[in-house]
Amino acid sequence: MKNVVAIDGPGGAGKSTIARLLAEKLNYLHLDTGAMYRAVTLAALNKEIDFDNKTKLVELAKEIKIEFDLTGKVFLDGEDVSQEIRSEKVNEFVSKTAAVKGVREVLVKKQQQIAAVNKVVMDGRDITTVVLPDAEYKFFLTASLTERAKRRYEQLKKQNKEANLDEIKASIARRDKFDSEREHSPLTIADDAVVIDTTKLDIPNVISEILKIMSGDK
Ligand code: C5P
């Protein structure tokens, strides 16, 4: 599938930031699929839906309207929820939402429709394996748990938010485990994906590594 870049990896590996910058450089659309699972989770929290009620979660995923603008802002039924979808409460429940097969079916269909009519950089957990297995370029970005937690901690501090490194580490580890062990579309490395460990690389270095690979220089 030409003009499609698929990026997967665990939470906090820098996927979304890198996908956004890469899309800017290539003049492609960026689709952060994690934001879609987060938006469904936020809608469920707002409606006080029980996260064990799979039927209700699937109905909700079908009902709500998730939109993105060109700056990466996320809108839920017309309201800007870019900040709210990153809250600790959403972090706590998003893996439960994402484990529901019917929710995934609704969102994956939307993701595939977007890729069918756009040049796109899409990032998530199952993009290289399930959503766009025929993508022209496939990457798996990772970093050590300690480094991923540190990045999240520094991000929160920068926003003057309360942060506890050990708690962040535990929360990321819990989500990694849940996402990797779930029954439907678990986080795995596609056989033909290029793995990039970003533990010791800054963002410009990761981007240039990816661009080198895409241009065939590597
Ligand atoms: O990438 P981000 O951390 O925002 O993703 C939030 C959660 O959404 C992940 O922990 C995972 O449970 C789920 N997700 C998924 N499949 C995707 C993207 C995200 O299951 N393609």
Side-chain angles (χ1 to χ4, degrees), residues 31-42:
L31 189 70
D32 171 359
T33 62
M36 298 171 81
Y37 290 93
R38 288 175 178 276
V40 178
T41 306
L42 178 64

Side-chain angles (χ1 to χ4, degrees), residues 33-198:
T33 62
M36 298 171 81
Y37 290 93
R38 288 175 178 276
V40 178
T41 306
L42 178 64
L45 285 167
N46 289 345
K47 292 195 174 187
E48 296 183 9
I49 289 173
D50 177 354
F51 282 88
D52 288 323
N53 191 336
K54 295 182 184 168
T55 313
K56 275 249 182 274
L57 287 174
V58 178
E59 266 172 28
L60 185 69
K62 285 184 186 157
E63 245 169 58
I64 60 171
K65 202 157 143 205
I66 307 167
E67 292 163 305
F68 295 85
D69 74 5
L70 288 175
T71 67
K73 278 192 185 151
V74 186
F75 297 84
L76 170 59
D77 293 329
E79 192 195 334
D80 181 358
V81 293
S82 316
Q83 297 289 325
E84 256 181 298
I85 58 164
R86 312 268 163 214
S87 70
E88 215 23 70
K89 195 83 189 152
V90 171
N91 282 345
E92 196 182 326
F93 289 101
V94 66
S95 290
K96 272 209 113 166
T97 309
V100 179
K101 188 166 172 250
V103 171
R104 302 201 70 82
E105 283 167 357
V106 174
L107 298 188
V108 167
K109 201 165 153 200
K110 286 187 189 172
Q111 293 155 11
Q112 290 173 332
Q113 283 167 347
I114 290 169
V117 293
N118 289 284
K119 294 179 174 181
V120 68
V121 180
M122 200 178 289
D123 73 276
R125 301 291 187 290
D126 60 342
I127 311 305
T128 58
T129 52
V130 175
V131 182
L132 306 169
D134 299 325
E136 188 173 13
Y137 300 103
K138 294 161 78 163
F139 296 96
F140 189 93
L141 294 189
T142 186
S144 72
L145 175 62
T146 306
E147 178 62 25
R148 288 186 284 133
K150 223 171 76 191
R151 287 177 191 168
R152 175 80 185 135
Y153 174 83
E154 277 156 16
Q155 195 182 31
L156 287 170
K157 281 281 169 198
K158 232 188 243 164
Q159 296 165 353
N160 286 322
K161 289 190 181 143
E162 230 178 89
N164 174 306
L165 189 58
D166 288 335
E167 277 172 19
I168 293 170
K169 208 166 161 177
S171 160
I172 295 180
R174 186 183 53 79
R175 211 143 54 82
D176 278 359
K177 185 168 155 56
F178 207 93
D179 291 343
S180 308
E181 292 179 358
R182 71 183 176 212
E183 185 185 354
H184 308 292
S185 310
L187 173 68
T188 48
I189 306 176
D191 289 341
D192 53 352
V194 177
V195 180
I196 302 179
D197 185 336
T198 73

